Amino acid sequence: ALGLTDPFTVRCLQSYASLARGVGRAADANPLFDRTIAAMEEDPGPDHAATLAMLRHYGLQLRAVGCGLEAEAIFVHVLQRREVALGPDDTRTLQSASDLADQVALRGAGLEAEPLYRRVYLSRVGALGPTHRRTMRALNGLATCLASIGRHGDAEPLYRLALSETKKRLGPTHPHTMAAVHSLTHLLKALGRFPEAEQLAVSALHTLEWSNGARDEATIQAKLRLLGNFQT
């Protein structure tokens, strides 16, 4: 037998957990996580990179089953240990900061989440450049957080930057571009700028219909999502 801490066993558990989440049975994997983490804290140790990675996966697992406070405690622990071991700007440390920001935002504490999102974004810009996909993901997280706490004016230029860079990198009809259009139109509606929001949505949909056809499933779904921004 390979044992609970063998790398192959660990990968199998992570794959099983992902599958369980996908079919709505995330809680089935929790006892396996408990046993594996307990074993890994003995060997290779509580601060080993593999142990912290497993703890992170367990935090995601707890989030999936609605145990938000337990997940947040794990994300805090992993972030603190990675900051000590790897430094504040390491990719894995920023991953943990992003995990924690998402969890804090989920419990409605946007004011607490905002500096975490900003930290991740600025570090990504410095390490990867302003147009890298991970930077864009961090930018969108920060913009969404700002919008959630009513700072729409601060969120707008970030959403516009995200849309512009996503369109350049992926094209005007890519699903990520359409998601960026949706975010910006939703914000413009919140600001009361309905004509501007409508013009942006209509222009994006015309481009999508011209490229894919009006009966294409992606076009239909994008239309339903964007039009939903204008329903009262």
Side-chain angles (χ1 to χ4, degrees), residues 3-68:
L4 286 172
T5 62
D6 182 85
F8 180 74
T9 305
V10 169
R11 288 196 298 272
C12 287
L13 173 56
Q14 291 169 349
S15 296
Y16 172 69
S18 296
L19 178 62
R21 286 197 297 267
V23 298
R25 297 179 57 181
D28 290 356
N30 286 358
L32 293 174
F33 272 110
D34 288 332
R35 291 172 55 200
T36 302
I37 290 169
M40 293 181 74
E41 287 179 339
E42 293 293 328
D43 181 25
D47 293 331
H48 191 276
T51 306
L52 293 176
M54 178 57 74
L55 272 170
R56 174 184 180 261
H57 278 282
Y58 191 28
L60 297 175
Q61 186 76 7
L62 289 170
R63 174 190 291 172
V65 298
C67 299

Side-chain angles (χ1 to χ4, degrees), residues 134-185:
R134 289 184 178 177
T135 307
M136 287 293 99
R137 191 180 305 127
L139 173 64
N140 189 68
L142 175 58
T144 300
C145 179
L146 290 170
S148 75
I149 58 177
R151 292 173 57 183
H152 300 103
D154 293 329
E156 182 182 352
L158 302 186
Y159 275 135
R160 289 191 180 279
L161 177 59
L163 174 58
S164 174
E165 294 299 335
T166 303
K167 187 183 294 185
K168 289 178 186 177
R169 186 165 60 88
L170 300 174
T173 62
H174 191 278
H176 290 175
T177 304
M178 298 308 297
V181 171
H182 170 76
S183 296
L184 182 54
T185 56

Side-chain angles (χ1 to χ4, degrees), residues 19 29 32-33 56 62-63 75 82 104-105 117-118 121 132 138 141-142 147 158 162 173 175 180 201 210 219 231:
L19 178 62
L32 293 174
F33 272 110
R56 174 184 180 261
L62 289 170
R63 174 190 291 172
F75 293 144
R82 283 179 166 174
V104 171
Y117 280 120
R118 189 174 297 279
Y121 171 61
H132 191 278
L142 175 58
L158 302 186
T173 62
W210 181 84
T219 302
Q231 294 177 351

Side-chain angles (χ1 to χ4, degrees), residues 205-218:
L205 287 174
H206 281 170
T207 301
L208 193 61
E209 288 180 353
W210 181 84
S211 175
N212 297 354
R215 297 184 179 181
D216 177 76
E217 182 63 24

Side-chain angles (χ1 to χ4, degrees), residues 115-135:
L116 287 166
Y117 280 120
R118 189 174 297 279
R119 168 189 171 181
V120 174
Y121 171 61
L122 293 176
S123 293
R124 295 286 193 210
V125 170
L128 302 173
T131 62
H132 191 278
R133 60 183 178 82
R134 289 184 178 177
T135 307

